[in-house]
Amino acid sequence: MLNSASRSRSAVGLIACDVGAAFALFIDDAAAARALLRENVAALGLGGVTRIFRRDARKLGMAHPVEPFSLAFLDPPYGHGLAEAALASARAGGWLTPEALIVVEEAASAGFAPPAGFDELERRRYDDTALIVLRHRG
């Protein structure tokens, strides 16, 4: 069972692994978020298919630990333009495959606009939250 305080970004990755995803990498620079994530990974027995990186997602760099990702879920703190910066960093560092799908969770009022190299496929609003589906033009 997931700790009830877990944020949706970790829940999505953990559920994906639980139902058969080969691997999930979690990136967070907040110590409390990483500790909670480690607790949930251990509770679900998913240590072998997950890694947790202490890193600012806006500064990923080119040294990614595995092959580029075909699916990414971004759920940064709302309203600070962090998703756009993280996407630009992932693209510049080669973290995404060509045609990768990305889901961004952001405040509906934030005015999210995909950076260069990404096409918006769909946007759905749920109360004050928006889910934006993008495709990477690799």
Side-chain angles (χ1 to χ4, degrees):
M1 170 181 259
L2 291 178
N3 184 312
S4 62
S6 69
R7 296 196 39 165
S8 61
R9 70 175 165 259
S10 61
V12 169
L14 293 171
I15 290 167
C17 288
D18 197 42
V19 298
F23 179 75
L25 174 66
F26 300 92
I27 300 172
D28 207 311
D29 63 352
R34 288 191 317 277
L36 180 59
L37 184 52
R38 281 191 295 277
E39 192 178 303
N40 287 329
V41 164
L44 293 169
L46 295 174
V49 294
T50 60
R51 282 187 72 186
I52 303 168
F53 268 26
R54 176 185 178 188
R55 193 174 290 186
D56 183 332
R58 298 169 298 172
K59 302 172 186 172
L60 291 172
M62 298 190 69
H64 50 82
V66 294
E67 296 298 316
F69 293 93
S70 60
L71 177 64
F73 183 75
L74 283 73
D75 180 19
Y78 290 177
H80 300 285
L82 300 175
E84 292 93 333
L87 284 168
S89 178
R91 179 175 165 79
W95 287 69
L96 301 169
T97 63
E99 304 298 315
L101 289 176
I102 298 98
V103 178
V104 176
E105 184 175 330
E106 178 62 275
S109 62
F112 173 86
F118 296 91
D119 295 318
E120 185 172 322
L121 302 178
E122 188 170 346
R123 184 179 295 237
R124 293 192 180 199
R125 184 177 177 146
Y126 301 95
D127 296 321
D128 61 346
T129 300
L131 290 179
I132 304 110
V133 179
L134 307 170
R135 182 170 309 279
H136 175 233
R137 276 185 269 128

